[in-house]
Amino acid sequence: MKIIIHRGSKEIGGSCVELNSGETRVIIDLGMPLVKANKEPFDSKALEGESVKELVRTHILPAVSGLYEGEKSTINAAILSHAHQDHYGFLRYINPDIPVYMSSGAKILIEISDLFIPTKANLRNVVPFEMWHSFKIGDLAVTPYLVDHSAFDAAAFVIEGGGKKVFYSGDLRGHGRKKVLFDKLLSAPPGNIDCLLLEGSMLGRENGQYPDEKAVEERMVNLFRGKKNIAFVFCSSQNIDRLVSVYRAAKRSGSLLVIDLYTAYILDRLSTVSKHLPQFDWDEVRVKYFQSHARVLVESNQKELLYKYQEAKIKIEDIDQNKENIVMLMRDNSIFKACLQKLTNLEGAMAVYSMWDGYVTDKFRNVLAEHGISYEHVHTSGHAVVSDLQRLANAINPSHIIPIHTFYPQDYLSLFGNVRLVDDGEVISI
Ligand SMILES: [Zn+2]
Ligand SMILES: [Zn+2]
């Protein structure tokens, strides 16, 4: 078996790996990069109006023969680990003859992103897989393992063929709401792994002040219990683990959780995958309608959902009158701005920032200060800390570990055994 990391051997983002048995070629993930070659942030505007040929020539798209639209396909299938842009963002360029395997949860989240955000994946040949159920692609057998990550329904993969076995970690962690999955991986790891492609996002990084998702929930409970005015929580509506933490903290503190239409729609769609996610019709949940979200639902012929969620609808005036009992999820600045204009007296309100705080601008902090809103950062990473990665590597005990999804591949040498450093595009025979 041959492995080629087309992109991701020395960076976080833009992951793309090829496995080639000689008979079968499979691509794992085809992500959008987070950084350019010079380490500056990658701007998706660089893609606008460019042909696949041009994007390959300028090294924005990895040079993978037979993968893209407009040429004869020689790739048997692509498999996607999870619905984060740095793993699926370039699938839009894939030849539609190539089936793309992914979990049902990933499929739903990508479909929703396609409705609500301008950069579309536009997937035309999706085949959903079930976790723990092996499937064949040519002479390769793929087994998806459900993993704990900030993306919902995320997978790691065992891929077997020609007597060799590869474990691709995807993105994972051992401190989220599905920690039990990580523990299970440690206690019953896949055996006889020849090569472990191991993510290392947390190398060279701090985890932040909260060690796990439980601690995030506890901190929020304390904050919400003591609040005298509304609490705004800024988090990604696609980070389902975090939504559950916010919901639980709101409920435990006797507050109502106000979500927006977009979030209500995500949770509703995902109810086909999990029955345990908070929903619009749960007692402690209300839905605030915003025009921009309503328009998307109407334009995608789902107007009936506006009636469906109606029973939970809350008006801004009702939020205003009941501020001290409300935790309100915030999605982006335009919506936040609209709320700031309509809500009276926000002195003593709080903004709980529940994402990586590298996104926080001075402008945002100034707006909060102007309104007398305090700022709290409550977050934990979507990625495993180094000690958990070491436990995982020890449990799997592979013949080789190859770094991926990390800015510090060299550091693997001192942290793990049997490390093999590779370059993007290098052909690795195992
Ligand atoms: Zn990632
Ligand atoms: Zn991810």
Side-chain angles (χ1 to χ4, degrees):
M1 176 131 63
K2 289 186 171 55
I3 305 172
I4 305 171
I5 299 181
H6 289 291
R7 187 165 197 164
S9 68
K10 295 179 176 59
E11 68 188 89
I12 297 176
S15 290
C16 177
V17 178
E18 176 179 345
L19 296 191
N20 186 339
S21 68
E23 198 177 294
T24 307
R25 291 174 73 201
V26 169
I27 292 292
I28 313 174
D29 290 345
L30 186 53
M32 197 183 294
L34 297 175
V35 294
K36 298 190 279 193
N38 63 7
K39 295 274 152 68
E40 278 175 22
F42 177 77
D43 187 348
S44 61
K45 284 201 181 82
L47 306 169
E48 282 169 16
E50 296 292 354
S51 66
V52 166
K53 241 188 193 145
E54 185 59 18
L55 293 172
V56 171
R57 195 189 66 77
T58 51
H59 305 291
I60 291 176
L61 277 180
V64 187
S65 63
L67 177 62
Y68 300 114
E69 215 168 350
E71 60 178 318
K72 190 176 153 20
S73 119
T74 53
I75 300 286
N76 297 69
I79 54 179
L80 174 70
S81 61
H82 63 285
H84 276 160
Q85 285 273 1
D86 63 316
H87 296 259
Y88 82 82
F90 280 168
L91 278 176
R92 74 177 95 158
Y93 298 110
I94 199 170
N95 189 319
D97 293 341
I98 301 172
V100 182
Y101 291 76
M102 64 182 74
S103 68
S104 308
K107 178 173 182 284
I108 289 169
L109 288 174
I110 293 173
E111 284 168 2
I112 294 174
S113 292
D114 271 13
L115 287 180
F116 284 88
I117 63 172
T119 46
K120 315 239 178 264
N122 192 22
L123 299 177
R124 289 153 287 180
N125 192 355
V126 172
V127 185
F129 60 63
E130 258 184 76
M131 296 296 175
W132 323 111
H133 287 71
S134 300
F135 55 92
K136 287 285 249 186
I137 299 170
D139 62 347
L140 294 177
V142 180
T143 310
Y145 282 59
L146 180 63
V147 292
D148 183 16
H149 180 45
S150 47
F152 183 74
D153 221 13
F157 298 111
V158 169
I159 300 118
E160 296 179 70
K164 298 290 179 184
K165 234 167 142 182
V166 174
F167 189 89
Y168 175 78
S169 72
D171 290 358
L172 46 62
R173 63 176 170 180
H175 60 265
R177 304 206 75 90
K178 298 177 298 301
K179 173 187 190 309
V180 60
L181 295 169
F182 190 78
D183 296 341
K184 193 175 153 192
L185 204 49
L186 297 182
S187 61
N192 305 317
I193 296 295
D194 295 286
C195 179
L196 167 61
L197 292 157
L198 182 63
E199 78 121 309
S201 314
M202 292 304 282
L203 272 67
R205 260 203 224 173
E206 296 283 323
N207 185 31
Q209 74 277 52
Y210 295 95
D212 56 26
E213 204 58 47
K214 259 215 166 74
V216 164
E217 180 184 326
E218 291 308 319
R219 177 65 183 144
M220 285 187 184
V221 169
N222 283 332
L223 286 170
F224 297 164
R225 278 189 180 146
K227 71 182 165 27
K228 303 268 184 295
N229 201 326
I230 194 166
F232 299 108
V233 179
F234 291 80
C235 78
S236 159
S237 295
Q238 294 214 1
N239 183 345
I240 303 301
D241 263 26
R242 188 58 46 82
L243 285 187
V244 172
S245 298
V246 175
Y247 164 77
R248 287 175 54 91
K251 182 177 171 160
R252 288 174 58 193
S253 65
S255 311
L256 275 183
L257 175 64
V258 176
I259 59 177
D260 56 28
L261 262 182
Y262 166 73
T263 310
Y265 178 61
I266 290 174
L267 292 168
D268 186 14
R269 291 278 315 266
L270 290 178
S271 65
T272 56
V273 183
S274 169
K275 294 282 164 234
H276 306 291
L277 307 179
Q279 294 295 337
F280 70 95
D281 55 355
W282 287 21
D283 281 350
E284 309 82 2
V285 179
R286 298 289 182 276
V287 182
K288 171 75 186 81
Y289 284 35
F290 291 99
Q291 234 173 26
S292 55
H293 301 160
R295 197 180 311 127
V296 171
L297 293 180
V298 171
E299 284 171 1
S300 56
N301 296 320
Q302 301 182 89
K303 193 177 175 185
E304 73 281 0
L305 294 178
L306 300 181
Y307 303 113
K308 179 178 175 182
Y309 305 146
Q310 181 87 22
E311 62 176 272
K313 186 172 174 178
I314 186 167
K315 289 188 182 143
I316 195 82
E317 296 78 20
D318 296 328
I319 295 173
D320 199 35
Q321 278 170 20
N322 196 20
K323 287 199 288 289
E324 67 281 7
N325 295 319
I326 284 180
V327 171
M328 187 172 188
L329 209 69
M330 270 299 140
R331 200 166 96 75
D332 59 34
N333 289 340
S334 63
I335 283 173
F336 187 46
K337 224 188 250 168
C339 289
L340 289 180
Q341 277 168 4
K342 294 204 171 127
L343 295 172
T344 55
N345 185 20
L346 287 167
E347 197 63 41
M350 69 175 90
V352 177
Y353 202 80
S354 201
M355 296 181 276
W356 178 58
D357 60 353
Y359 300 127
V360 176
T361 60
D362 286 343
K363 197 175 150 201
F364 177 73
R365 286 179 192 272
N366 290 340
V367 168
L368 296 181
E370 274 166 32
H371 287 84
I373 303 171
S374 63
Y375 172 87
E376 288 280 342
H377 185 222
V378 186
H379 182 53
T380 192
S381 172
H383 300 275
V385 293
V386 172
S387 56
D388 280 346
L389 292 174
Q390 287 175 315
R391 287 161 68 209
L392 180 63
N394 282 336
I396 294 179
N397 192 24
S399 307
H400 292 286
I401 294 180
I402 295 179
I404 191 166
H405 204 279
T406 181
F407 286 115
Y408 300 94
Q410 290 282 347
D411 290 5
Y412 279 58
L413 293 170
S414 58
L415 295 168
F416 308 99
N418 305 321
V419 172
R420 184 163 170 190
L421 297 180
V422 303
D423 291 319
D424 283 356
E426 184 181 334
V427 180
I428 309 146
S429 294
I430 60 164

